[in-house]
Amino acid sequence: MKRRDFVRTAGGATAAVAASAGATGTAAAQEVQPDWPSGAAGGNVGSYTDARGQDEVTISVGAGSNGLAFDPTLVWVDEGTTIVWEWTGAGGDHNVQTVEDGGPASLDSGSAVGEEGYTYEYETSSEDAGITHYQCVPHAAVGMHGGIAVGEDVATVEVGGANTGWPEDIAKVGVPLHAHWVGISAILGIGMTFVFTFYMLKYGESAHTGHGGAR
């Protein structure tokens, strides 16, 4: 390979590394969710649904492998949306009730029941704007909790992003871990390109360049 060709190739490789890093950063874009109270976010199953734009959303009561969960556990809805809790019949008797000081929505389905197909409906309003943490009273101690967020005026956080197989955040640093690996990869790639470019410029063309032609 001639020196000028090598330099052109090296420059292209450097650009490719930078482009790859930029693409990876785009893929790592994060999702915005309500800033759920830890008690609600820690509910069994832990599923989340953004139901904004829907007139009605259904939450299963008695979900999960042992029937001790709400699914979806966390739901974001608009003001005026009707939320329907529907019993699966699994896990014993359940109810839906806002925890003490758990938020603006006054959820209360009454006494715990276990009948499959039983439903409790609640239509949200402007008075429910914000985040509400609720529970199944008989099974609160074993993690049967949930949360609803109503309206747009709620505190939010960024979650998720690209699945890198690593924890999302570095402890006590508060920045995405995958961004560090992207930066390290880009720096290593560019550094290696400069090393090889220097070597070729210093020692000249390959020993085989120009040989092997017609005799």
Side-chain angles (χ1 to χ4, degrees), residues 112-146:
V113 297
E115 178 187 351
E116 180 180 0
Y118 181 84
T119 60
Y120 165 60
E121 295 187 8
Y122 186 90
E123 183 176 347
T124 62
S125 68
S126 58
E127 295 180 355
D128 302 316
I131 298 174
T132 298
H133 172 199
Y134 68 91
Q135 64 187 347
C136 165
V137 175
H139 302 111
V142 293
M144 193 166 178
H145 292 257

Side-chain angles (χ1 to χ4, degrees), residues 141-181:
V142 293
M144 193 166 178
H145 292 257
I148 62 169
V150 179
E152 299 298 327
D153 189 19
V154 297
T156 59
V157 292
E158 290 185 340
V159 297
N163 182 11
T164 62
W166 292 86
E168 182 64 27
D169 295 324
I170 299 176
K172 299 182 181 179
V173 176
V175 294
L177 180 60
H178 53 256
H180 287 258
W181 291 109

